[in-house]
Amino acid sequence: MTVPFKGGCACGAVRYECTSEPQLAFNCHCRDCQRISGAPFITAILVPEDALTINGNTHGHTQDGDSGGSLTRYFCSDCGSALFAKVEAFPGVLGIKVMSMDDPSWISPSMDFYTKSAQPWVTFSDITEKFDGMPS
Ligand SMILES: [Zn+2]
Ligand SMILES: [Zn+2]
């Protein structure tokens, strides 16, 4: 594990550095994450928002989250890579899409969210805690 860690989008226009260790690492199998990422699930970590320094332009898209509050996802303005997310219900916390990290290999998700909409051919890790939807 290496802190601070760096990452960015596919085209290089957005780069970030994070000085905090992840507070939580999880997979999300909800249909929104599937559609937005184009992948069967996303892997994300949560960090304190003020631990992250972002360089470059991002585009934010807000929609209603499952919990009732709004969720804003941030993409590179140039290439559209999914990078960050903020949930209205959790101020001060930022989600980072793990695959945007320069070295995602040291992140080990401990939870799977929205297993009810997971694709039938996805194989789950034995060590994660599974949730039908979002844990309360
Ligand atoms: Zn980009
Ligand atoms: Zn999701």
Side-chain angles (χ1 to χ4, degrees), residues 21-26 44-47 110-111 113:
E21 290 181 10
Q23 295 169 338
L24 178 69
F26 61 92
I45 54 173
L46 299 181
V47 299
S110 62
M111 296 180 183
F113 299 159

Side-chain angles (χ1 to χ4, degrees), residues 2-104:
T2 44
V3 174
F5 59 88
K6 295 178 181 178
C9 66
C11 80
V14 177
R15 294 289 301 162
Y16 63 82
E17 179 169 323
C18 182
T19 56
S20 167
E21 290 181 10
Q23 295 169 338
L24 178 69
F26 61 92
N27 301 317
C28 187
H29 303 259
C30 81
R31 292 291 291 135
D32 283 348
C33 286
Q34 291 174 351
R35 286 194 172 97
I36 282 162
S37 66
F41 59 92
I42 61 104
T43 304
I45 54 173
L46 299 181
V47 299
E49 194 176 355
D50 57 14
L52 199 76
T53 307
I54 302 169
N55 288 301
N57 292 326
T58 57
H59 167 75
H61 179 263
T62 302
Q63 62 190 122
D64 287 340
D66 193 59
S67 56
S70 74
L71 171 72
T72 304
R73 292 181 174 89
Y74 295 90
F75 306 85
C76 169
S77 295
D78 284 348
C79 71
S81 297
L83 297 168
F84 316 112
K86 272 180 74 169
V87 179
E88 193 180 23
F90 301 105
V93 178
L94 195 88
I96 301 175
K97 300 281 192 306
V98 167
M99 292 309 135
S100 69
M101 292 166 58
D102 290 345
D103 178 12

